[in-house]
Amino acid sequence: MTPHDTSVPPRLLLLLRELALALLPTLVINLLCALAVTYLLRIGGSFYENLQVSMCIGLLAMLLINGSRLLLWGNEAPNKLGMLLVIVVMAPLAVLLGRVLASLLMGQPILSLVPEHSDNIIAVIVLTFLVCFGATLFFWNRQKMAALEAHATQVEKQAVQAQLQMLQAQIEPHMLFNTLATLQSLISTDPLQAELMLNQLVQYLRTTLSASRADSTSLQKEFDLIKAYLGLMSLRMGMRLSYTLQLPEHLGRLRLAPMLLQPLVENAIKHGLEPKVDGGNCTVRAAVHNDMLVLSVLDTGAGLPTSISLNQPPPQKEPVIGMHFGLDNIRERLVTLYGPLAELIITHNVPAGAMAQITIPLKALKSAHRTTRHNRALDA
């Protein structure tokens, strides 16, 4: 790690974070130890005195053991034998220093280090060692479970990304073959229009390739991809298609998952505007409302089918290749990446056509892609 590398937090910050996470469980363990020492082992003074001693020993043990672990291994998983040695050394030290600290706090003479006045100090050391060992196992297993959950989340995101690539494989050939067929007919009848369409197709494919390989993209790039696609479709459909893109400049830098809007725009063209004889308009816009990013795709096409609900999962067990599959894929990606408050709603447009609207909490959006950038920095 170079002196200017800020991707890994300083070990002091790691220690403070570990102490904050372990504080409440440690206080509970200290209380249980004070009860055991007072009413089961029947050593020491009153419960109040034993509680103060237990708190001092327990908190010092937590500080010494966690501090030693982070000093020796940092944020990496500690060596099991090495960690056991740390506990063997630090548990007696915590007992001795904790009794001294408790004596100072209670205004009593410091007799903790004198064997004849130690009041079963061996039993206290053994109890402290067992408690430290058990607490270490507890926190160790909790960290392993958290790592497994993080790994499971990552695997789930990768599965959703694979679904995205499968969706692209299904959508792009349909559009590509239709465009190539149009190009073939234009080459002999209108070479200039064919050249213009070919240039637009190259721009669209280049933009799509870049977007499909990225974990995240900017909203501006997502709109650039849609602009390239709609420009290509307008060459195919001619006067039957008009489109409007509305992206406020301050929202263009927002990061989000790629290809969220693209399938919605393709659905608007394929299922709404192409089947309509006189075509219509497609409008794509972005806005912020009540701390939510709102992305809308509106068309004035044929409207929604009345036989199925596009806001519920299809009844079939297998995914339906088509419009419903694309919508379910988007919904799954939204929930996986941004939580249950992120959603996709399909509804009627007024006076005609359909509207698809994605809403994402801004806090979840920024958190998800800040985490992605941090993980990339660690991997690098």
Side-chain angles (χ1 to χ4, degrees), residues 2 15 34 39 45 56 82 88 103 131 140 146 210 244 287 297 302 304 317 320 345 355 361-362:
T2 62
L15 177 60
Y39 300 109
C56 291
V88 169
S103 297
V131 170
W140 195 321
S210 174
T244 306
V297 178
L304 297 174
K317 293 183 180 179
V320 179
I345 298 296
M355 178 178 73
L362 283 175

Side-chain angles (χ1 to χ4, degrees), residues 17-33 54-55 58-59 62 66 131 134-136 138-139 142:
R17 185 188 67 183
E18 292 289 332
L19 294 180
L21 292 174
L23 180 59
L24 182 59
T26 301
L27 294 177
V28 173
I29 292 172
N30 293 342
L31 175 61
L32 295 176
C33 287
S54 177
M55 287 294 176
L59 291 173
M62 178 185 69
N66 274 310
V131 170
T136 301
F138 169 75
F139 288 115
R142 188 175 70 171

